[in-house]
Amino acid sequence: MTPFGEAMHELRRRKGVSQKEMAAAIGVSPAYLSALEHGKRGSPSFDFLQRVAGYFNVIWDEADELFRVARLSDPRVVLDTAGLPPGHTAFANRLSERIRGLSGEAIEAMEDILEKATFPDNDRG
């Protein structure tokens, strides 16, 4: 499950609706909703996100969070290390090889490091 899938599942649970009911209401197939919730599809479109936010009548802050987690939910991430030092490319490849074996605690520690990192330009942080 992706962060977006988890958020959408929680919204459905709170409202007490099935995937089939939600799909009919927002004009998509139940199979598409299932694929999103289970991380089998990439990040949803802006239009889809607006329909979900409208369907659940979420407040502005919750809608912002839904859009944020959608951006972080593509299950097939590509890292472009072209032009970066060799160590960056090696790190990206090692992470790719080992990510499935990392514990939740290890992921949280890495997220903390990323949050605290300062970047030389505004495009990365």
Side-chain angles (χ1 to χ4, degrees), residues 81-97:
T81 61
L84 296 176
H88 288 62
T89 300
F91 178 78
N93 281 284
R94 289 181 70 203
L95 180 58
S96 172
E97 290 172 353

Side-chain angles (χ1 to χ4, degrees), residues 28-102:
V28 298
S29 73
Y32 178 69
L33 288 184
S34 178
L36 276 174
E37 283 191 16
H38 293 96
K40 307 279 189 219
R41 294 293 300 251
S43 298
S45 70
F46 180 75
D47 177 62
F48 176 84
L49 292 170
Q50 287 182 313
R51 285 186 274 160
V52 169
Y55 176 71
F56 289 112
N57 197 28
V58 297
I59 60 172
W60 188 253
D61 289 344
E62 193 171 11
D64 279 349
E65 179 64 9
L66 191 65
F67 280 57
R68 186 187 74 75
V69 297
R71 286 191 305 272
L72 300 175
S73 293
D74 191 337
R76 293 187 178 97
V77 177
V78 175
L79 293 175
D80 181 1
T81 61
L84 296 176
H88 288 62
T89 300
F91 178 78
N93 281 284
R94 289 181 70 203
L95 180 58
S96 172
E97 290 172 353
R98 298 178 183 189
I99 195 163
R100 289 189 185 275
L102 295 176

